[in-house]
Amino acid sequence: MLLGIDTSGAVSIAVARGALNGPAPEVLAVRTDARARHHDEMLLALIEDTLTQAGITRRDLTGVVVGRGPGPFTGLRVGLVTARTIAAVLGVPLVGLSSLDALAHQALAEHARSTGQTTVGVALDARRREVYHARYRRTADGHVERIADPAVDAPAEVAAELTACDVLVGSGCALYPELLPATADMPHADAGHLILAAARQTARGADLASTEPLYLREPDAAKPTARKSALGLPDARRQR
């Protein structure tokens, strides 16, 4: 049994029957909560609810898949730390996958053409009036292939290349509909597709061992470069 956790936007949890190195897993349960800024309050309860819905307990898990983002710093840390802790306590493998990859897998699975290659653009809210984005295509053998690596830019700078895709999804579309009109209502990564996408990539030999967060830019809060006096006085060393 596999547990999927993604906190790149909404909190999404999934349980699937199967393994990453075998036939495609079967998703048994998916639970999602889209409330913002409450990841730490709801995550553990949502995991337990999803396990219960699937009819299993944590002891039945044989692997954990976690979304690496990009996404808000705090939300990603909560999901990654939780996934690492569960995997370590249970002694089961842990793999990480870009949340953009998971959303692209879902979009292509639900909106792919019956023949030929279909392209998909993903745009997630990055705040600061920017979007995290990447582009993908479905190959002739059904593989989801990334054709433009994840990046962060202003919507206007990437609108032309993203709207040229057959399918465009993600929370960034809802914020900038005139520049990035969504073709499907799919704002956040689904943990079920996170598991399925990880399984497909593993089957093709991809290395998903890293669970480091995919931030793409520096956090808003930065360490000060020089010590500051609590009284607002210059550093004493400068007065010598």
Side-chain angles (χ1 to χ4, degrees), residues 62-106:
T62 57
V64 180
V65 183
V66 65
R68 297 175 54 205
F73 291 84
T74 301
L76 280 184
R77 282 196 296 266
V78 169
L80 290 166
V81 169
T82 300
R84 290 168 183 167
T85 301
I86 292 174
V89 170
L90 296 177
V92 300
L94 170 67
V95 300
L97 185 74
S98 166
S99 304
L100 293 168
D101 289 4
L103 192 51
H105 183 279
Q106 181 182 1

Side-chain angles (χ1 to χ4, degrees), residues 6-232:
D6 191 278
T7 57
S8 61
V11 176
S12 184
I13 308 298
V15 172
R17 179 186 290 114
L20 291 175
N21 57 354
E26 176 191 0
V27 178
L28 301 177
V30 179
R31 296 291 300 275
T32 300
D33 194 316
R35 288 178 292 173
R37 304 181 186 277
H38 294 282
H39 294 57
D40 55 339
E41 299 175 13
M42 70 179 72
L43 182 55
L44 291 178
L46 203 60
I47 290 173
E48 293 304 322
D49 288 347
T50 311
L51 292 172
T52 299
Q53 183 180 347
I56 68 169
T57 68
R58 291 194 189 191
R59 293 189 297 273
D60 297 312
L61 295 174
T62 57
V64 180
V65 183
V66 65
R68 297 175 54 205
F73 291 84
T74 301
L76 280 184
R77 282 196 296 266
V78 169
L80 290 166
V81 169
T82 300
R84 290 168 183 167
T85 301
I86 292 174
V89 170
L90 296 177
V92 300
L94 170 67
V95 300
L97 185 74
S98 166
S99 304
L100 293 168
D101 289 4
L103 192 51
H105 183 279
Q106 181 182 1
L108 286 171
E110 298 183 8
H111 298 277
R113 294 172 180 168
S114 57
T115 59
Q117 295 182 341
T118 299
T119 56
V120 61
V122 180
L124 298 179
D125 176 22
R127 302 177 183 176
R128 302 188 195 176
R129 298 182 180 180
E130 293 179 323
V131 292
Y132 300 120
H133 61 93
R135 288 180 289 130
Y136 303 79
R137 67 183 172 196
R138 175 183 288 277
T139 61
D141 62 357
H143 176 59
V144 178
E145 179 181 61
R146 188 189 298 154
I147 55 177
D149 286 336
V152 56
D153 291 287
E157 295 177 2
V158 293
E161 59 192 46
L162 290 176
T163 55
C165 295
D166 300 311
V167 181
L168 179 58
V169 298
S171 57
C173 298
L175 292 176
Y176 310 101
E178 295 183 359
L179 291 170
L180 303 172
T183 59
D185 184 16
M186 201 176 293
H188 304 293
D190 176 287
H193 284 277
L194 181 78
I195 295 174
L196 296 175
R200 288 191 68 95
Q201 291 195 24
T202 299
R204 294 177 67 92
D207 181 3
L208 304 182
S210 175
T211 59
E212 290 301 309
L214 185 62
Y215 285 145
L216 299 185
R217 68 183 180 202
E218 294 298 319
D220 293 325
K223 294 181 180 180
T225 56
R227 291 185 298 175
K228 295 182 180 179
S229 168
L231 301 177

